[in-house]
Amino acid sequence: MAVDTNLITALGAGSGVDVKALAKSLVEAERAPKQQAIQSKIDKSEAKISGYSAMMAALDIFKQQVDGLDSVTDFAAVEIRNSNPLAVQVSTNSLASPGAHTISITSLAQAQRSVGDGFDNVTAQVNGGNAFTLSLTVAGEATDIEISAADTNASAVVNAINQAGAGVSAQLLDTGVEGAADRYKIVLTGQTGASNAFSVSTDAADTSGLNFTTPTGQDAADAAVTVNGVAISRSTNTIDDVIPGMTFDLLGPTTGAVAVQLNRDSSGVKERVQSLVTAYNSMVSDFGILTGPASEDEEDIYSGSLRGDSTVRSVLSQMRQVFFGESETAGESITSLRDMGVSVDKDGVVTLDEAALDEALTTHFEEVVSALAGRTTTEVDGETVIQQGLGAEMAARLRALMGPTGIILSQSTSAESQVGRYEEQLEKLETRMEGILERYTKQFAAMESIVGQLTSMRENLKSQFEAMLNTGKN
């Protein structure tokens, strides 16, 4: 490294050069290029880490759409047409199949209601304020409710019944008849179904208010309905065990049969395929930004962060292979996404022909389901091999790529390790530069000391010569 000539001249002249500043300047000149080279490697590795994170985010968005097409249950939605929703409400789950059904409701399931003979006020004493036992028998099982002397008012008896867990609830009903001796009556309500009928007994000496009767039409009863010509009865008005995947909520008797039509709802499938295409294009676009030129915007840490990185090419190649490949569970007419109207142009942009997709869903719905979400097993060379549809295959490939042992996290972990190694190199460089600075400082200090001595000697000789000259003149 060249040293400033003026400094050399000044040093030789013993002019008091700042040797400490000179040493720091020389060390900094030696440190800067090495430090910059290492920092450049750190920045590049950290940019890769950011790029891999962006890759994971793009793949995750794509995977969310794939997950909506990787199981046959994703295609099970049906449209319900109900001719009398005021009499019966119908709901379905993934087990429901398209078809026509009829249901006629003769009577609803109902709970028994029994009414006591009443009290004149809510704090009226029962059984004269003496303790007693009230027994509730439901389906042959009796529950004894002990009423203490401290809790013999009408309200306390109601609370005791509700807390007994006998399957019967109680309430104190106000009839609103002013001054009536039976204004307040205990009403007991059981659970729906004939098997939940109950009876009440007591050992109270005075049963006033505890004599329960069941009004006409308030007996426990089962629902009586006819489904597809078959008469059935249930203890509840919610029936979900007659037709697989269908639940009937009975609301009232009918004068004729209610027609229920289940039609396959392909609109949801169409939306999922559209979303899949959009997500795929977004993923490819994001990958293009990561591998493209770096942005001039300092806050943009993603553009160009994976430029020249083979990981992006590998991941994109695998996804293209599945996305544009043929399904392992293909049918005769639908073998791949292209048979559903999906195509790609020369720039790699995927488009969807909605008319072609509608045609495929209308005429070959089962094959579309099979091609996307099918799952079969076959024997190959004596071994059982599982074959999956495109959606399931893409989901499996994404799980492998994004998993803990996948290529993306592996590369990210490697980049993090490189950052650690480069930071260690920076620390070693700093330690080495500190040693060099110390050495330079000592060397220059020694040189300055010598220069000082020489300067002093020069001045001394000069004085002697001047004295000699002056002596000669005298």
Side-chain angles (χ1 to χ4, degrees), residues 3 33 136 143 164 205 214 248 300 471:
V3 180
L136 292 173
T143 300
T214 302
F248 299 104
D300 183 357
T471 301

Side-chain angles (χ1 to χ4, degrees), residues 12 29 39 45 69 75 77 80 114 142 151 288 290 318 346 348 354-355 371 373 378 399 423 453 457 471-472:
Q39 187 61 49
S45 294
L69 293 168
F75 302 84
I80 304 172
S114 297
D151 295 316
L290 295 174
Q318 292 186 55
K346 60 182 180 61
E354 295 188 17
T378 185
R399 286 193 296 270
E423 289 176 343
Q453 292 174 9
M457 183 182 296
T471 301

